[in-house]
Every structure is written in C-alpha cells, then in structure tokens.
Amino acid sequence: MRESLFAECEQRPLAEVGVSAVARRAGVGRATFYLHYEDLTALAVDACADVVHAAVDALHAWQTDPAALPPVRPPAALAGFLAHAAERAPLYRTLLLPGDGGPLGERLYRELRARSRAERAAVGAPRPDLVASAVAAAFTGVLADWLHGEFPADLADPAELAERIWPLLVALHRAG
C-alpha cells in the first residue's frame, strides 16, 4: 500500500488521492486498507517512516566514536537525505507543515530528540534533554520551512542547505 500511495501522489496531491485508488493499485480491498490504517494520512505517515529514520541517520552519520567532535563539514548523508526529501516534497509538504507541525513533523521531532538525547547521555554530555530538544526542533523546523519554500532561492539546493544548517546544529550541540 505504501508504494501505491507514492505512485498515486506522483500523479496528484495527497488531498486528491482516494482510499479506493490506493487500494485498487495495491490489489487489496478497501476493507483491508481500513484494517491497517485509519485514513490516508495514517498510511502516508507510515509510508514516510523511512524518511524519518533516514533524517536521523543522516544527522548522525559522522559518528563513529560517540565522544568525537562533529566535523566542520556536514556528512554527505545529510545532503543526500535533503535531495531525497526534495524529490518527494509535494507529499512531505502535506505531512510536515511549516514550523515543524503535522504528523510527519511530530514523528521526526520525537525520533530525532530521542536519538540525540540517548547519544548525549551515553557519553555523559551535559544537558542531554535541552540540547536534544533544541536540535530536533531546529532541524525539523528548518526542513519543514525549506520544503514549503520559505527560504531564499540560494538555499533551494539540498547540498547548500546541508552546508548552512550543519553549523547551526553543531552550535546547538556545543551550547549545551
């Protein structure tokens, strides 16, 4: 059903996609759809769960040693993640509202905060809760606003955004 939803969203916005179209494309009945999902938004958030894990992994891709300092340049995985997000921007914009709201924003924030907090706590870094919240909120908010076109054209490129957001996230880590 996930792939069917993505295929439907390539042709039209999520708001115009129906359960019947997704179920038909997936080769299942509507009843089967509703056994697994409350509505299309629930399926969409579930289908986008991989993007949440990819985002969290991209931000932590540089860590081979939890006690090591972050590099000056962002990990390549961060720009790769942003490029992928740009490819599916219409769907993600529906689920990740400006300022980091929406069901995908909430999930991304929770998972990023949990990973950041756990890693800081594991190495005895100060203020793991405060820093984890700040990093998760900053990244989720910037991603949402970027997907919604809230930034100038010079930040439209995923690699450029990665270069610009990385020092902000590192500064938040160091501020703690």
Side-chain angles (χ1 to χ4, degrees):
M1 286 189 276
R2 290 175 176 187
E3 290 306 315
S4 296
L5 177 70
F6 289 141
E8 289 293 324
C9 287
E10 287 176 6
Q11 298 172 357
R12 59 187 161 278
L14 180 62
E16 296 175 14
V17 174
V19 170
S20 295
V22 171
R24 184 173 38 257
R25 186 181 286 265
V28 300
R30 287 175 56 91
T32 301
F33 175 91
Y34 286 112
L35 281 174
H36 297 281
Y37 300 101
E38 179 179 319
D39 55 21
L40 280 175
T41 299
L43 169 60
V45 170
D46 183 53
C48 294
D50 290 344
V51 79
V52 171
H53 300 300
V56 173
D57 288 345
L59 289 174
H60 297 273
W62 60 274
Q63 290 183 316
T64 54
D65 173 8
L69 293 174
V72 174
R73 304 277 321 258
L78 180 57
F81 163 75
L82 292 170
H84 172 77
E87 291 172 5
R88 290 214 168 128
L91 176 58
Y92 296 158
R93 279 193 295 267
T94 303
L95 303 170
L96 183 60
L97 305 177
D100 83 2
L104 188 59
E106 292 167 8
R107 186 167 181 171
L108 177 57
Y109 172 84
R110 277 193 322 269
E111 290 193 25
L112 184 54
R113 183 185 185 284
R115 173 105 170 245
S116 293
R117 190 206 175 288
E119 288 178 356
R120 288 186 67 80
V123 297
R127 299 174 190 68
D129 292 319
L130 178 66
V131 173
S133 292
V135 168
F139 181 76
T140 306
V142 167
L143 177 63
D145 289 349
W146 179 68
L147 289 171
H148 283 274
E150 297 292 330
F151 296 146
D154 68 326
L155 288 179
D157 179 62
E160 183 61 29
L161 180 62
E163 289 289 336
R164 299 281 184 96
I165 194 174
W166 187 250
L168 171 66
L169 299 173
V170 170
L172 289 170
H173 271 284
R174 289 189 176 137

